[in-house]
Amino acid sequence: MDFLEFLSGNWPDVRDATVDHAVLVLEGLGLAVAVGLPLAVLVYRTKLPRAAVLGVAGVFLTIPSYALFGLLITPLGLGTGPSIVALTMYALLPVIRNTVVGLREVDPAVVESARGMGMSRLKVLLGVELPLAWPVIVTGLRVAAQLLLGIAAIAAAVNGPGLGNLILQGLDKAGTPFAIYLTIEGAAAIIVLAVLFDAAFALLKRLTTSRGLST
């Protein structure tokens, strides 16, 4: 049996695992945005809190994937829960760092002009600073998504969903042709997802960035 025959035979499994993998990454990224974006807004102006938050997020990123997924089994059990939490922790650094950098790169003269027009601090943030920082923030989301697509394969080690299960099945069948086929299916699907996610974020950035800020 060649690879194409094998793929046609288990295509439903590959399709379902690909969808699960994409959903898992989006869930982790969404939670990272929900936590990281407000956190970045709170600390971007003050040096010590900013350094502390970036430092903690940086430590999360240095924890080996297998170790972090394994540590989360005790409080969260097996399955989707520890997978989403681990991916959220890995995505925090690019989300927070790019938001901080984007906000700090806003020209102070523009902010002062907005305040001089009577805008409140919240209106300046929502109407001036965040729109100007948006291209940098989207770049952080783009980087985080690419990072999570690869790490999400480890979720299979804690019975999580996604394409890592195909790769894990391939490892279980080591020494047979099916081992290579399953591993290629899982890896190739992750690469395809990475290309699609990258194109989607590039399109999002293009459609949501004003012409004056586009490069």
Side-chain angles (χ1 to χ4, degrees):
M1 179 184 293
D2 62 24
F3 176 70
L4 291 179
E5 290 175 334
F6 183 80
L7 176 61
S8 65
N10 75 335
W11 169 247
D13 293 338
V14 176
R15 179 197 59 206
D16 293 346
T18 302
V19 172
D20 290 344
H21 200 90
V23 171
L24 180 64
V25 168
L26 288 174
E27 289 173 334
L29 184 60
L31 272 177
V33 171
V35 174
L37 195 59
L39 207 52
V41 169
L42 285 174
V43 303
Y44 81 96
R45 286 177 175 275
T46 47
K47 187 175 181 180
L48 284 178
R50 182 175 70 243
V53 168
L54 288 172
V56 171
V59 169
F60 288 160
L61 198 57
T62 64
I63 302 174
S65 305
Y66 270 109
L68 181 57
F69 278 82
L71 288 171
L72 291 172
I73 291 176
T74 300
L76 300 173
L78 295 169
T80 305
S83 306
I84 293 176
V85 172
L87 293 182
T88 299
M89 292 170 68
Y90 283 123
L92 280 176
L93 183 60
V95 170
I96 295 174
R97 184 170 58 190
N98 276 55
T99 303
V100 167
V101 169
L103 289 171
R104 289 183 62 79
E105 284 183 348
V106 175
D107 189 343
V110 175
V111 176
E112 288 304 318
S113 297
R115 287 180 178 172
M117 295 172 63
M119 295 178 71
S120 65
R121 178 71 190 88
L122 181 61
K123 285 185 177 178
V124 171
L125 175 67
L126 297 177
V128 178
E129 291 177 298
L130 282 175
L132 290 175
W134 180 243
V136 182
I137 295 172
V138 174
T139 299
L141 301 182
R142 193 172 176 178
V143 171
Q146 297 295 312
L147 181 70
L148 296 192
L149 282 167
I151 296 175
I154 307 297
V158 295
N159 288 345
L163 291 161
N165 288 293
L166 292 177
I167 297 172
L168 206 58
Q169 290 171 25
L171 294 176
D172 287 341
K173 298 179 185 298
T176 71
F178 301 125
I180 299 174
Y181 293 165
L182 285 164
T183 304
I184 291 175
E185 285 178 345
I190 290 174
I191 293 171
V192 170
L193 281 178
V195 172
L196 293 176
F197 269 64
D198 196 58
F201 276 108
L203 183 62
L204 173 67
K205 183 178 178 180
R206 183 169 183 173
L207 294 177
T208 58
T209 302
S210 64
R211 290 186 178 179
L213 297 175
S214 299
T215 56

